[in-house]
Amino acid sequence: EKGEDGSRAVPRQEAGVFGLKQQQQLRRFAPAAEPEQQQPGPGRLQLAGPVPHHPGEEFSHVQQRDDGGRSLRGRTAGRDSEGSWTQVRPGRGQLRVSCHVLRRAGRGHRGDPDPGRGAAVLPGHAEVGPAVRSDLRTRTGLLTRPLLHRYIYCDEIDLCADTVLATLYAAKKYIVPHLARACVNFLETSLSAKNACVLLSQSCLFEEPDLTQRCWEVIDAQAELALRSEGFCDIDTQTLESILRRETLNAKEMVVFEAALSWAEAECQRRDLPPSIDNKRLVLGKAIYLIRIPAMALEDFANGAAQSGVLTLNETNDIFLWFTASRKPELLFCTKPRKGLAPQRCHRFQSCAYRSNQWRYRGRCDSIQFAVDRRVFIAGFGLYGSSCGSAEYSAKMELKRQGVPMAQRVIKFFSDGSSSTFPVWFDYPVQIEPDTFYTASVVLDGNELSYFGQEGMTEVQSGKVTFQFQCSSDSTNGTGVQGGQIPELIFYA
């Protein structure tokens, strides 16, 4: 679409999904107003799609179809006097040729050594002549043009975090599906709580449902980390509302409220407004009612939301009455707590036992290595308790990848003397990538003997996730695949 002044207007789908900052980023690598596309007619070909050929060869045979979809085999294509590709034998109706480029890497037309001067063709557009190539050079930028050329001419893909979004935009615009798929795969592998909210916004714009689903998985499981990330403040209003509306967020409502205020402050800056309380409420708009303030703990509300100034006096008074009065007022806020995600458990032993001299701890480490076949989020461990009646234990739990600690916590738990497992939790769920071994360790401290697992399994299917286990060199207290401690891994998937 073009504006009244001839400049390129932001597409409708972009305007609704991206915030001001994202739109500015798009304009940075979006091509400017394109020249009027020449409509194919008799004697001229419209070029789109891949046709394999060898360097230096010109297309002498192509798949041709007329407007009715009928094959026009036997007709060939060649260059006219102006160097454009045309039909040698004109036929009735428009013709279509499937190709990406007219000349690959090597010497260009008339011996020109610059491969960039070969007539590159992008689906849905006229031939990319010097004017359009100049536009791509200046507006798409020096970052994406070499990537596109390298892929179109040499079938090579070289992506990095600084260029992947711009490359995905160009691949989508010029309908280069394999390059777009490679960009999406790159984004999925680099997805984390720090960038999940921003990539959620981008995936909606680029209409990539698989990437959108991966983003939601990370945001749901690691909601508090995602909401506190810097990227959360960069999202647009529509994405903000979709996150605040999410039923499966694993986060305290006070964290959701604080994240919304941080976003509002950033939005005020984007709109050149002073970050006052009134302006924060203004930019939040109806999104404020998507925060489930009545579902907060009373202490969190009294010390936080009630004193923030964002709520009106009537809203504050009504919510206090909601907490304390038997006759509760009607509220515009949702009063039901979020459901969050249900934790799943992978149990690796088929039975447990106890003996008169086992299982002792004395400050030694019990450890096991595991790997999964899809991305999960480890939230904690299930541990055995005392075999001699109720007792309290202190546990130092740790999760490592290739010897590097990813999460640690010291926690106490109480066991009731049964053979059940007792959960201990990390501060935040830890993202676990597939096909990589991680080490789960725990150092228990307690005076009582405890139960231990037997008949351990090297592979366990838990829901849609397959876990594999192997012994760890960090284990100094006897735990291994066949028996010992750490009977359960608690995770989200």
Side-chain angles (χ1 to χ4, degrees):
E1 296 182 7
K2 298 181 179 179
E4 296 179 356
D5 58 353
S7 62
R8 179 183 180 275
V10 179
R12 292 186 182 92
Q13 63 174 4
E14 292 176 15
V17 178
F18 269 19
L20 298 178
K21 183 173 182 178
Q22 283 78 9
Q23 292 181 19
Q24 293 170 358
Q25 293 173 347
L26 281 180
R27 293 192 182 99
R28 192 167 62 246
F29 54 77
E34 299 174 357
E36 292 295 331
Q37 180 175 333
Q38 185 176 3
Q39 296 297 327
R44 182 166 294 276
L45 299 177
Q46 180 178 351
L47 305 171
V51 169
H53 66 292
H54 300 286
E57 290 185 356
E58 298 179 355
F59 293 116
S60 59
H61 56 86
V62 290
Q63 182 67 32
Q64 305 176 1
R65 293 184 181 275
D66 63 7
D67 285 340
R70 294 168 295 186
S71 176
L72 299 175
R73 295 180 180 176
R75 298 174 181 171
T76 58
R79 289 184 181 273
D80 59 15
S81 60
E82 298 178 355
S84 301
W85 283 86
T86 60
Q87 176 193 351
V88 174
R89 277 190 247 169
R92 288 183 295 178
Q94 298 179 358
L95 300 179
R96 294 185 180 181
V97 180
S98 296
C99 68
H100 273 312
V101 295
L102 300 184
R103 187 175 298 276
R104 297 171 75 94
R107 301 187 69 82
H109 185 50
R110 297 179 181 176
D112 193 313
D114 180 10
R117 295 186 59 181
V121 177
L122 297 171
H125 293 262
E127 297 174 9
V128 179
V132 179
R133 281 199 298 270
S134 176
D135 180 69
L136 286 173
R137 182 180 299 110
T138 57
R139 296 298 298 275
T140 304
L142 297 176
L143 294 177
T144 57
R145 188 176 71 93
L147 292 173
L148 284 173
H149 280 188
R150 189 178 300 128
Y151 174 74
I152 292 174
Y153 283 82
C154 307
D155 292 330
E156 295 179 1
I157 300 176
D158 184 15
L159 299 172
C160 67
D162 294 333
T163 61
V164 62
L165 286 176
T167 304
L168 177 58
Y169 179 88
K172 284 284 188 177
K173 178 174 179 61
Y174 297 113
I175 319 176
V176 189
H178 295 292
L179 181 59
R181 185 69 253 171
C183 292
V184 172
N185 291 337
F186 182 92
L187 291 173
E188 288 182 354
T189 57
S190 61
L191 184 61
S192 68
K194 294 181 179 180
N195 59 16
C197 295
V198 171
L199 291 184
L200 174 67
S201 178
Q202 307 277 0
S203 66
C204 293
L205 170 67
F206 294 129
E207 297 180 350
E208 288 291 342
D210 291 340
L211 179 58
T212 300
Q213 179 59 30
R214 299 292 183 274
C215 292
W216 279 126
E217 291 174 0
V218 174
I219 294 171
D220 284 341
Q222 297 181 300
E224 294 193 0
L225 291 177
L227 293 174
R228 287 170 172 163
S229 66
E230 294 181 3
F232 178 79
C233 296
D234 293 332
I235 61 177
D236 57 280
T237 304
Q238 184 176 343
T239 305
L240 171 72
E241 292 178 354
S242 66
I243 293 175
L244 297 182
R245 193 179 291 112
R246 190 77 172 172
E247 185 72 26
T248 48
L249 286 181
N250 265 358
K252 296 179 180 179
E253 207 62 34
M254 190 63 202
V255 175
V256 178
F257 179 79
E258 291 172 349
L261 292 186
S262 297
W263 178 90
E265 182 174 351
E267 183 69 8
C268 286
Q269 295 176 358
R270 287 189 288 268
R271 298 188 187 185
D272 295 327
L273 295 174
S276 64
I277 296 298
D278 292 339
N279 286 336
K280 289 181 182 179
R281 179 64 186 257
L282 174 66
V283 298
L284 281 172
K286 294 182 179 180
I288 188 71
Y289 298 112
L290 299 176
I291 306 172
R292 307 188 181 190
I293 296 177
M296 292 181 182
L298 176 58
E299 183 179 357
D300 287 342
F301 172 72
N303 295 326
Q307 299 185 43
S308 66
V310 175
L311 302 177
T312 65
L313 291 177
N314 287 338
E315 289 170 344
T316 303
N317 181 67
D318 287 346
I319 295 175
F320 267 122
L321 291 176
W322 171 268
F323 279 114
T324 57
S326 57
R327 184 179 178 181
K328 300 183 183 299
E330 292 186 2
L331 300 175
L332 294 176
F333 299 90
C334 181
T335 59
K336 295 182 179 179
R338 302 178 195 269
K339 294 180 179 179
L341 291 178
Q344 303 180 49
R345 298 178 181 236
C346 173
H347 197 90
R348 66 187 191 93
F349 295 127
Q350 300 182 65
S351 65
C352 67
Y354 70 92
R355 295 173 186 166
S356 59
N357 62 344
Q358 288 181 326
W359 193 274
R360 296 184 184 276
Y361 298 109
R362 298 174 182 175
R364 290 180 292 192
C365 180
D366 289 288
S367 182
I368 192 71
Q369 287 191 333
F370 69 94
V372 293
D373 63 344
R374 57 170 293 182
R375 177 181 287 160
V376 299
F377 302 87
I378 296 295
F381 306 147
L383 303 178
Y384 288 124
S386 170
S387 59
C388 305
S390 60
E392 185 178 64
Y393 289 90
S394 174
K396 179 183 178 182
M397 49 193 301
E398 185 177 52
L399 191 61
K400 295 189 293 185
R401 176 181 180 178
Q402 299 177 350
V404 179
M406 301 183 66
Q408 293 178 332
R409 191 183 183 190
V410 177
I411 189 173
K412 291 184 178 181
F413 70 96
F414 183 83
S415 68
D416 58 8
S418 69
S419 59
S420 303
T421 58
F422 301 91
V424 291
W425 306 88
F426 288 111
D427 293 322
Y428 304 103
V430 182
Q431 182 170 312
I432 302 297
E433 298 298 335
D435 305 321
T436 301
F437 273 95
Y438 294 78
T439 303
S441 303
V442 62
V443 177
L444 288 168
D445 187 14
N447 295 324
E448 300 294 338
L449 299 176
S450 78
Y451 289 91
F452 59 92
Q454 297 183 131
E455 301 177 277
M457 297 172 285
T458 57
E459 184 172 301
V460 179
Q461 184 74 28
S462 183
K464 297 181 180 181
V465 184
T466 301
F467 285 80
Q468 292 183 334
F469 295 95
Q470 68 182 24
C471 294
S472 170
S473 59
D474 293 345
S475 186
T476 58
N477 199 40
T479 290
V481 174
Q482 298 301 319
Q485 298 298 321
I486 316 180
E488 284 184 340
L489 298 178
I490 306 173
F491 67 98
Y492 301 112

